[in-house]
Amino acid sequence: MTEASIRVLSLPDVDPDVYTSIQNETLRQGNTLELIASENFVSKAVLEAAGGVMTNKYAEGYPGRRYYGGCDWVDVAEDLARDRAKELFGCDYANVQPHSGSQANMAVYFTFLQPGDTLMGLDLAHGGHLTHGSPVNFSGKLFNIVSYQVDKKSGRVDFDEVLRLAKESNPKLIVCGGSAYPRFIEFEQFREVADEVGAYLMSDIAHPAGLVAAGIHPSPMEFCDVVTSTTHKTLRGPRGGLILMGKDWENPWGVVAPKSGRTKMVSELLDSTVMPGIQGGPLMHVIAAKAVAFGEALQPEFKEYCQKVVDNAQAMADALLELNYDLVSGGTDTHVILVDLTKREISGKAAENALEKAGITVNKNMVPFDQKSPFVTSGIRVGTPAVTTRGMGIDEMKGIANMIDRVISSHENDELITQVKGEVSELCSRFPLYTDLLG
Ligand code: DSN
């Protein structure tokens, strides 16, 4: 292939195999019901920015102080992303460079903690995240982890237990938030515990970030020392991470600027932990797409969208309860429903597989006090951000709950699954997605 042809030819001509996989993925997204709680469908504008020429640019450093020339325009994009993030969340500080939520969490841990320090987080099997201290994750390997759990009866964080554990273990950092916690994160109660034991408090709002931005979920800014997030779940941006602080403050660890002897701000330490501490070149195309998504989230329509996400989740939860399903915590305040299948004769894995055959995508998920392994599980996690983006509402949620029930109740009945698949196709065709991207 000549240099000229690289410039002229487009994907179908250059690489039909990859082109076909992308086309088929576009079709899959359009023709199935996406109920994975951490997924969403970005706008064409976000896709365009994420697929644009900023992918070509090295820009190690931060706007106005880069290690590379030619950064004027990527600086504009990153400043827009940072300013919009601060406006969106009502905070003093935003770092939009973390490649993912895990990188954002790593940057906070490496700023606030030393290896071996004690970190408290929600147990993965109780709705937490790998980076909140799982033994198979860097967090579990580098820090002394104390995991708190939810109460067996209420399915909510047990604050008596959190306080007891915190007093016993003296954590330096407490992490709140998770990946499968259907209720509002209790920032204020965590703050009380953190204050009682002199710990820092970080919230990971990767899941409800859009709902926080829309003012539907309480804001962590007043209560948490530092906040991390992803940008691609309810926030409906490109895949990536984010670090925020409601208020910046002088670092308490005695780190000073080498020449002036000035005590550095925590924001400066976080910035240097992200780059050069744990990352090199930022993904400028993704940062541009984050700016676009934050701009979209600042519009009044985004608040309406987020309200519908929650209304839809509650309608789906109510419908599942009526169909006699057990839901962890009895329902949801957010976009997430955690269905406990323990009393049904089906594992999370089998339910996920049967639903996938019917064109309904969910993920198997551990439920609190699960007796099955993470590869099998006793639950499924269901979320409404993506179907709500397609324009589906309460009636569709009731219909989907009914389809889920039919598949789970007869998961070995191929005829029934084929019938539901037809209903899924018909429903999807009424809410078209990305049809203009199909060749
Ligand atoms: N894997 C994400 C989720 O599905 O919630 C969290 O990182």
Side-chain angles (χ1 to χ4, degrees):
M1 183 166 308
T2 65
E3 198 191 321
S5 70
I6 285 173
R7 277 187 264 124
V8 173
L9 294 177
S10 60
L11 185 58
D13 306 311
V14 175
D15 197 328
D17 294 337
V18 171
Y19 173 74
T20 302
S21 75
I22 295 174
Q23 285 283 296
N24 282 333
E25 173 59 12
T26 311
L27 276 171
R28 188 196 67 80
Q29 291 184 14
N31 292 340
T32 56
L33 287 171
E34 185 53 74
L35 296 176
I36 291 183
S38 48
E39 295 188 14
N40 210 330
F41 300 123
V42 299
S43 69
K44 246 187 114 179
V46 169
L47 272 185
E48 213 172 299
V53 295
M54 285 196 182
T55 193
N56 297 326
K57 191 70 197 96
Y58 250 121
E60 282 175 27
Y62 289 93
R65 46 198 177 94
R66 305 279 193 188
Y67 293 89
Y68 290 80
C71 286
D72 289 359
W73 293 109
V74 292
D75 278 7
V76 170
E78 184 162 348
D79 276 333
L80 283 168
R82 293 197 297 195
D83 290 345
R84 289 176 184 174
K86 287 191 263 182
E87 189 182 343
L88 196 54
F89 291 98
C91 59
D92 272 4
Y93 166 81
N95 187 314
V96 295
Q97 291 196 5
H99 301 328
S100 68
S102 297
Q103 300 291 111
N105 290 351
M106 181 184 267
V108 169
Y109 299 165
F110 286 6
T111 303
F112 281 67
L113 302 173
Q114 298 297 321
D117 280 347
T118 300
L119 181 154
M120 253 180 88
L122 180 58
D123 194 322
L124 182 62
H126 287 241
H129 185 254
L130 281 170
T131 55
H132 298 177
S134 163
V136 295
N137 180 260
F138 78 89
S139 54
K141 293 183 199 291
L142 291 182
F143 304 106
N144 173 41
I145 302 299
V146 176
S147 297
Y148 55 89
Q149 303 191 329
V150 298
D151 174 67
K152 200 164 192 173
K153 220 166 159 202
S154 68
R156 299 180 188 232
V157 172
D158 178 348
F159 280 92
D160 289 339
E161 179 69 353
V162 175
L163 183 59
R164 188 188 65 75
L165 285 171
K167 281 184 167 166
E168 200 177 278
S169 61
N170 244 323
K172 201 159 173 190
L173 181 72
I174 298 177
V175 177
C176 58
S179 289
Y181 191 64
R183 297 298 177 176
F184 286 160
I185 307 168
E186 305 86 342
F187 305 119
E188 201 170 346
Q189 282 167 275
F190 277 107
R191 180 77 261 170
E192 284 168 19
V193 175
D195 283 346
E196 193 138 340
V197 298
Y200 296 108
L201 180 62
M202 174 188 121
S203 59
D204 179 343
I205 60 165
H207 264 268
L211 312 183
V212 171
I216 291 164
H217 187 295
S219 167
M221 294 307 159
E222 180 189 339
F223 303 106
C224 299
D225 299 294
V226 62
V227 176
T228 60
S229 185
T230 55
T231 47
H232 50 274
K233 299 183 175 98
T234 48
L235 195 47
R236 206 164 56 179
R239 189 160 293 280
L242 182 63
I243 305 174
L244 305 164
M245 276 193 299
K247 288 236 171 305
D248 198 4
W249 83 101
E250 277 188 352
N251 86 82
W253 307 291
V255 183
V256 294
K259 278 189 195 151
S260 65
R262 173 184 64 80
T263 300
K264 286 194 173 187
M265 303 299 280
V266 174
S267 58
E268 295 174 88
L269 302 188
L270 283 167
D271 281 352
S272 10
T273 309
V274 173
M275 206 303 295
I278 61 169
Q279 290 187 179
L283 308 175
M284 293 314 307
H285 54 309
V286 176
I287 288 171
K290 287 176 182 173
V292 176
F294 300 157
E296 290 175 353
L298 283 164
Q299 304 308 310
E301 298 78 34
F302 187 74
K303 196 177 165 68
E304 288 167 27
Y305 159 71
C306 286
Q307 188 58 57
K308 285 183 192 158
V309 168
V310 174
D311 292 346
N312 278 347
Q314 289 176 344
M316 175 105 69
D318 288 345
L320 289 167
L321 287 170
E322 266 177 43
L323 291 161
N324 283 322
Y325 283 85
D326 289 335
L327 306 185
V328 173
S329 86
T332 182
D333 297 328
T334 65
H335 60 297
V336 182
I337 300 159
L338 191 53
V339 185
D340 185 342
L341 299 169
T342 305
K343 288 195 200 134
R344 306 240 162 187
E345 282 177 10
I346 186 168
S347 66
K349 184 181 175 181
E352 178 192 300
N353 288 341
L355 288 165
E356 183 160 6
K357 279 194 216 153
I360 300 173
T361 318
V362 302
N363 63 280
K364 60 178 172 290
N365 213 98
M366 301 276 277
V367 294
F369 310 99
D370 208 322
Q371 299 298 311
K372 296 198 166 83
S373 84
F375 297 105
V376 180
T377 81
S378 301
I380 51 168
R381 188 183 62 164
V382 177
T384 51
V387 285
T388 308
T389 292
R390 291 184 80 153
M392 294 183 194
I394 306 279
D395 286 345
E396 287 74 31
M397 297 307 116
K398 289 180 185 164
I400 294 170
N402 190 273
M403 292 185 215
I404 291 175
D405 175 48
R406 282 153 61 211
V407 172
I408 287 182
S409 303
S410 309
H411 62 279
E412 280 165 350
N413 180 341
D414 287 343
E415 205 177 310
L416 178 278
I417 288 177
T418 308
Q419 190 189 336
V420 172
K421 192 170 185 186
E423 292 168 33
V424 167
S425 284
E426 192 279 323
L427 177 56
C428 289
S429 68
R430 288 196 280 122
F431 296 89
L433 180 75
Y434 296 143
T435 41
D436 52 335
L437 298 179
L438 292 168

PDB file of all heavy atoms in Angstrom, residues 38 129 179 207 233 381, ligand 1:
ATOM      1  N   SER A  38     -23.610  -0.583  32.397  1.00  0.00           N
ATOM      2  CA  SER A  38     -22.461   0.301  32.237  1.00  0.00           C
ATOM      3  C   SER A  38     -22.282   0.751  30.784  1.00  0.00           C
ATOM      4  O   SER A  38     -21.284   1.372  30.450  1.00  0.00           O
ATOM      5  CB  SER A  38     -21.197  -0.425  32.705  1.00  0.00           C
ATOM      6  OG  SER A  38     -21.157  -1.725  32.132  1.00  0.00           O
ATOM      7  N   HIS A 129     -16.089  -2.605  42.992  1.00  0.00           N
ATOM      8  CA  HIS A 129     -15.385  -2.708  41.711  1.00  0.00           C
ATOM      9  C   HIS A 129     -14.024  -3.331  41.943  1.00  0.00           C
ATOM     10  O   HIS A 129     -13.465  -3.236  43.051  1.00  0.00           O
ATOM     11  CB  HIS A 129     -15.230  -1.305  41.095  1.00  0.00           C
ATOM     12  CG  HIS A 129     -14.616  -1.325  39.727  1.00  0.00           C
ATOM     13  ND1 HIS A 129     -13.325  -0.941  39.479  1.00  0.00           N
ATOM     14  CD2 HIS A 129     -15.148  -1.703  38.551  1.00  0.00           C
ATOM     15  CE1 HIS A 129     -13.077  -1.079  38.183  1.00  0.00           C
ATOM     16  NE2 HIS A 129     -14.163  -1.530  37.589  1.00  0.00           N
ATOM     17  N   SER A 179     -20.062  -0.842  41.260  1.00  0.00           N
ATOM     18  CA  SER A 179     -20.511  -1.175  39.902  1.00  0.00           C
ATOM     19  C   SER A 179     -21.889  -1.808  39.872  1.00  0.00           C
ATOM     20  O   SER A 179     -22.487  -1.927  38.813  1.00  0.00           O
ATOM     21  CB  SER A 179     -19.552  -2.185  39.275  1.00  0.00           C
ATOM     22  OG  SER A 179     -18.350  -1.556  38.983  1.00  0.00           O
ATOM     23  N   HIS A 207     -20.634   4.855  37.774  1.00  0.00           N
ATOM     24  CA  HIS A 207     -21.980   4.457  37.325  1.00  0.00           C
ATOM     25  C   HIS A 207     -22.964   5.616  37.293  1.00  0.00           C
ATOM     26  O   HIS A 207     -23.536   5.910  36.252  1.00  0.00           O
ATOM     27  CB  HIS A 207     -22.491   3.269  38.155  1.00  0.00           C
ATOM     28  CG  HIS A 207     -22.226   1.980  37.454  1.00  0.00           C
ATOM     29  ND1 HIS A 207     -23.148   1.411  36.616  1.00  0.00           N
ATOM     30  CD2 HIS A 207     -21.130   1.196  37.402  1.00  0.00           C
ATOM     31  CE1 HIS A 207     -22.632   0.320  36.083  1.00  0.00           C
ATOM     32  NE2 HIS A 207     -21.409   0.159  36.553  1.00  0.00           N
ATOM     33  N   LYS A 233     -20.704   5.773  30.874  1.00  0.00           N
ATOM     34  CA  LYS A 233     -21.881   5.023  31.355  1.00  0.00           C
ATOM     35  C   LYS A 233     -23.082   5.964  31.278  1.00  0.00           C
ATOM     36  O   LYS A 233     -23.483   6.337  30.179  1.00  0.00           O
ATOM     37  CB  LYS A 233     -21.598   4.462  32.748  1.00  0.00           C
ATOM     38  CG  LYS A 233     -20.398   3.486  32.739  1.00  0.00           C
ATOM     39  CD  LYS A 233     -20.139   2.861  34.078  1.00  0.00           C
ATOM     40  CE  LYS A 233     -19.044   1.813  33.997  1.00  0.00           C
ATOM     41  NZ  LYS A 233     -17.730   2.323  34.409  1.00  0.00           N
ATOM     42  N   ARG A 381     -27.307  -8.348  36.221  1.00  0.00           N
ATOM     43  CA  ARG A 381     -27.430  -6.903  36.392  1.00  0.00           C
ATOM     44  C   ARG A 381     -28.111  -6.345  35.149  1.00  0.00           C
ATOM     45  O   ARG A 381     -27.753  -6.689  34.020  1.00  0.00           O
ATOM     46  CB  ARG A 381     -26.024  -6.306  36.567  1.00  0.00           C
ATOM     47  CG  ARG A 381     -26.012  -4.853  36.942  1.00  0.00           C
ATOM     48  CD  ARG A 381     -24.590  -4.306  37.032  1.00  0.00           C
ATOM     49  NE  ARG A 381     -23.906  -4.394  35.744  1.00  0.00           N
ATOM     50  CZ  ARG A 381     -22.788  -3.738  35.440  1.00  0.00           C
ATOM     51  NH1 ARG A 381     -22.203  -2.972  36.340  1.00  0.00           N
ATOM     52  NH2 ARG A 381     -22.220  -3.886  34.265  1.00  0.00           N
TER      53      ARG A 381
HETATM   54  N1  DSN B   1     -16.950  -3.044  34.074  1.00  0.00           N
HETATM   55  C1  DSN B   1     -17.708  -1.913  34.528  1.00  0.00           C
HETATM   56  C2  DSN B   1     -19.130  -2.264  34.766  1.00  0.00           C
HETATM   57  O1  DSN B   1     -19.649  -3.026  33.983  1.00  0.00           O
HETATM   58  O2  DSN B   1     -19.737  -1.756  35.681  1.00  0.00           O
HETATM   59  C3  DSN B   1     -17.093  -1.284  35.709  1.00  0.00           C
HETATM   60  O3  DSN B   1     -15.794  -0.964  35.394  1.00  0.00           O
END
